[in-house]
């Protein structure tokens, strides 16, 4: 017995040593966490910065990723979209991190979340990491689809605590502000069930967007909206100091910028011919880049660019002309190290998603010339951000 016991302990010790050495040599991280280390994108003046170098965005919108990641049968659409984005050299996808009430709701009622849908958002973030895509995540909608501010006001009204039935009370009602702050905190501190990383600590997330296209129509001065922006931005930053933050504004000039009011589009903009549309759009984009350079001293992103098929005498080739007009301005700004930091096409789909489409959506690989144009912009920006044409690995393979 003594001999047996005496032999047993050294053997176990030897086996444990071999196991330890083996484990130290093998990457046991989950598949989604393997690969090169990912850093947060930051800001220095009018430029985004990644690992000490300028970072420019060639991006796109697929608002539907979380919704399609919930159920197993539709998840391949998410993978296909992110794979396609990577093949075009795209760097950031803008998508919704909200669905308030209704089908596949993330937030069922104030402070009550559906874990099944939350896991869908986890999958989107994990899948984006796998394909080298970063995400801009929008936190609430100004419009009614997917709930938006209308749903928040409805919840407060149903609970008998709303100050007003106006949708704009979302911006000034203390109860509704509390609802939204609770939502923000829940999202930012969510621990991804796949990667194990809290959202606020995940560099795959490029930036948070407070709201999709915020407007407070009952206060043309803009003061109510500005007050809301300052309060919510401060709250986000109190929880998450890692990520960039954007408002999600549409770029309208207000009464405090009287010299720029003529840059705002009116109803007349929808009646312009293509050439006039291009001229106006170039003026609008250039004006906002100049604001970034001279007034805001911050990078400017154009988060939704597109051309409607409802335009008079529309042809698909016109979209490419429109995209290129904006791409050229962004590229010129990037070469000069100015504030034009990138643009996102609205919007990309995969096949069989007509119910999610609108009059702007495209399946980019269905038209080779569109696919090529987008890829060429990725290559141009990659060359600028690496300097003197020294492309990174992705760009070397792609370009």
């Amino acid at each position: 017995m003594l001999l047996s016991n005496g032999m047993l302990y050294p053997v176990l010790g030897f086996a444990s040593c071999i196991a330890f050495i083996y484990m130290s040599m093998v990457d046991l991280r989950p598949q989604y966490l393997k690969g090169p280390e990912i850093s947060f994108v930051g800001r220095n003046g009018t430029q985004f910065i990644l690992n000490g170098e300028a970072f420019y965005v060639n991006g796109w919108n697929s608002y539907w990723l979380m919704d399609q990641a919930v159920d197993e049968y539709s998840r391949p659409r998410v993978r296909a979209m992110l794979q396609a984005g990577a093949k075009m050299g795209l760097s950031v996808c803008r998508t919704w991190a909200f669905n308030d009430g209704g089908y596949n709701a993330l937030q069922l009622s104030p402070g009550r979340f559906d874990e099944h849908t939350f896991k869908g958002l986890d999958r989107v973030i994990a899948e984006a990491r796998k394909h080298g895509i970063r995400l801009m995540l929008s936190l609430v909608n100004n419009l009614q689809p997917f709930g938006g501010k209308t749903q928040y006001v409805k919840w407060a009204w149903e609970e008998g605590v709303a100050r007003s039935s106006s949708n704009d009370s979302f911006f000034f009602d203390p109860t509704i502000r509390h609802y939204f702050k609770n939502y923000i905190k829940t999202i930012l501190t969510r621990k991804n069930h796949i990667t194990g990383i809290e959202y606020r600590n995940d560099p795959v997330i490029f930036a948070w967007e407070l709201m999709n296209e915020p407007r407070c129509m009952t206060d043309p001065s803009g003061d109510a909206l500005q007050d809301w922006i300052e309060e919510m931005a401060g709250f986000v930053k109190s929880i998450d100091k890692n990520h960039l933050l954007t408002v999600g504004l549409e770029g309208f000039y207000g009464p405090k910028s009287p010299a720029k009011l003529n840059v705002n589009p009116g109803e007349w903009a929808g009646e312009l011919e293509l050439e006039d549309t291009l001229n106006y759009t170039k003026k609008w984009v250039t004006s906002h880049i100049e604001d970034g350079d001279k007034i805001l001293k911050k990078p400017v992103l154009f988060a939704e660019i597109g051309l409607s098929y409802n335009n008079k005498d529309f042809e698909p080739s016109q979209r490419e002309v429109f995209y290129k007009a904006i791409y050229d301005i962004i590229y010129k700004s990037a070469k000069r190290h100015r504030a034009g930091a990138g643009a996102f096409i609205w919007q990309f789909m995969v096949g069989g998603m007509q119910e999610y489409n609108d009059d702007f959506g495209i399946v980019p690989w269905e038209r080779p010339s569109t696919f090529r144009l987008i890829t060429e912009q990725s290559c141009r920006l990659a060359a600028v951000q690496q300097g003197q044409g020294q492309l990174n690995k992705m760009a070397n393979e792609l370009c």
Side-chain angles (χ1 to χ4, degrees):
M1 293 292 292
L2 287 174
L3 182 61
S4 298
N5 287 338
M7 291 295 293
L8 179 61
Y9 289 112
V11 169
L12 281 176
F14 177 72
S16 298
C17 181
I18 292 294
F20 176 78
I21 293 172
Y22 175 75
M23 290 172 68
S24 68
M25 295 174 64
V26 177
D27 189 349
L28 296 178
R29 294 176 298 165
Q31 184 65 38
Y32 283 99
L33 296 180
K34 294 180 181 179
E37 194 73 22
I38 303 174
S39 301
F40 289 96
V41 177
R43 181 184 68 86
N44 183 14
T46 60
Q47 292 189 312
F48 294 126
I49 300 295
L50 177 62
N51 298 324
E53 303 288 340
F55 178 82
Y56 299 99
V57 175
N58 196 25
W60 85 97
N61 287 269
S62 288
Y63 74 87
W64 44 266
L65 294 181
M66 179 179 71
D67 180 78
Q68 293 294 285
V70 174
D71 296 318
E72 188 171 356
Y73 76 90
S74 56
R75 289 173 199 162
R77 291 173 170 172
V78 176
R79 183 176 299 112
M81 188 69 262
L82 293 169
Q83 283 177 340
K87 287 179 181 178
M88 289 181 282
L90 297 173
S91 51
V92 184
C93 176
R94 178 174 176 260
T95 192
W96 296 169
F98 61 81
N99 188 355
D100 303 302
Y103 181 72
N104 272 351
L106 176 57
Q107 186 173 209
L108 301 168
S109 59
R112 197 167 136 257
F113 293 82
D114 187 310
E115 180 63 16
H116 189 54
T117 301
F118 233 144
K119 286 183 175 180
L121 185 54
D122 289 348
R123 291 186 192 98
V124 171
I125 296 170
E127 192 71 28
R129 172 184 287 269
K130 183 177 177 182
H131 297 288
I133 300 293
R134 296 173 189 270
L135 300 170
M136 180 188 288
L137 297 179
S138 189
L139 296 170
V140 69
N141 206 357
N142 182 71
L143 309 173
Q144 289 192 20
F146 296 89
K149 66 181 184 183
T150 301
Q151 182 62 67
Y152 278 87
V153 174
K154 182 180 179 182
W155 281 331
W157 192 259
E158 289 173 346
E159 292 182 12
V161 294
R163 288 189 172 185
S164 167
S165 61
S166 167
N167 285 350
D168 283 349
S169 65
F170 175 87
F171 298 111
F172 57 77
D173 189 305
T175 298
I176 297 174
R177 286 193 181 199
H178 174 74
Y179 288 166
F180 188 53
K181 283 183 176 180
N182 184 64
Y183 183 80
I184 290 172
K185 183 176 181 180
T186 302
I187 293 289
L188 270 55
T189 59
R190 165 73 177 185
K191 185 176 182 179
N192 192 308
H193 83 284
I194 298 172
T195 67
I197 303 173
E198 286 190 355
Y199 289 7
R200 61 180 168 180
N201 295 325
D202 195 336
V204 168
I205 298 170
F206 166 73
W208 302 108
E209 181 182 83
L210 284 180
M211 190 178 211
N212 174 49
E213 302 179 6
R215 293 190 190 187
C216 185
M217 302 300 289
T218 56
D219 179 20
S221 73
D223 292 341
L225 181 56
Q226 183 64 32
D227 180 65
W228 179 86
I229 290 168
E230 291 177 6
E231 181 176 341
M232 296 307 160
F235 185 73
V236 170
K237 288 295 186 178
S238 73
I239 300 171
D240 179 359
K241 295 178 172 59
N242 291 319
H243 287 104
L244 298 165
L245 177 65
T246 184
V247 177
L249 291 167
E250 296 166 280
F252 290 107
Y253 291 101
K256 295 178 182 178
S257 302
K260 293 288 189 84
L261 291 177
N262 66 330
V263 180
N264 287 340
E267 293 184 6
W268 49 264
E271 304 300 323
L272 296 177
E273 300 292 329
L274 179 62
E275 192 64 33
D276 292 329
T277 296
L278 290 172
N279 290 334
Y280 168 73
T281 300
K282 290 174 184 178
K283 176 183 176 182
W284 189 92
V285 170
T286 301
S287 176
H288 285 78
I289 291 176
E290 289 175 352
D291 291 341
D293 282 321
K294 299 175 183 178
I295 300 173
L296 300 174
K297 310 293 185 184
K298 291 183 179 181
V300 176
L301 285 173
F302 300 92
E304 296 182 13
I305 66 169
L307 193 69
S308 169
Y309 62 55
N310 289 329
N311 284 10
K312 185 179 179 181
D313 300 322
F314 173 80
E315 295 288 342
S317 61
Q318 295 173 354
R319 280 198 174 123
E320 295 167 13
V321 174
F322 184 83
Y323 297 157
K324 190 175 187 307
I326 298 174
Y327 279 174
D328 286 347
I329 296 173
I330 296 295
Y331 176 58
K332 181 179 179 181
S333 177
K335 284 202 301 180
R336 296 181 176 182
H337 309 293
R338 306 289 291 275
F344 298 72
I345 290 178
W346 179 276
Q347 62 166 322
F348 287 173
M349 324 293 293
V350 301
M353 293 189 67
Q354 197 56 39
E355 72 274 23
Y356 289 83
N357 206 349
D358 58 10
D359 47 314
F360 293 87
I362 63 170
V363 180
W365 53 87
E366 288 185 345
R367 188 174 173 85
S369 54
T370 299
F371 190 95
R372 185 167 55 252
L373 172 68
I374 295 166
T375 304
E376 287 172 353
Q377 178 72 353
S378 296
C379 291
R380 292 201 295 178
L381 293 180
V384 171
Q385 67 191 37
Q386 293 299 318
Q388 304 302 315
Q390 298 299 312
L391 305 186
N392 59 21
K393 181 180 178 182
M394 176 278 293
N396 269 320
E397 295 173 352
L398 185 68
C399 308

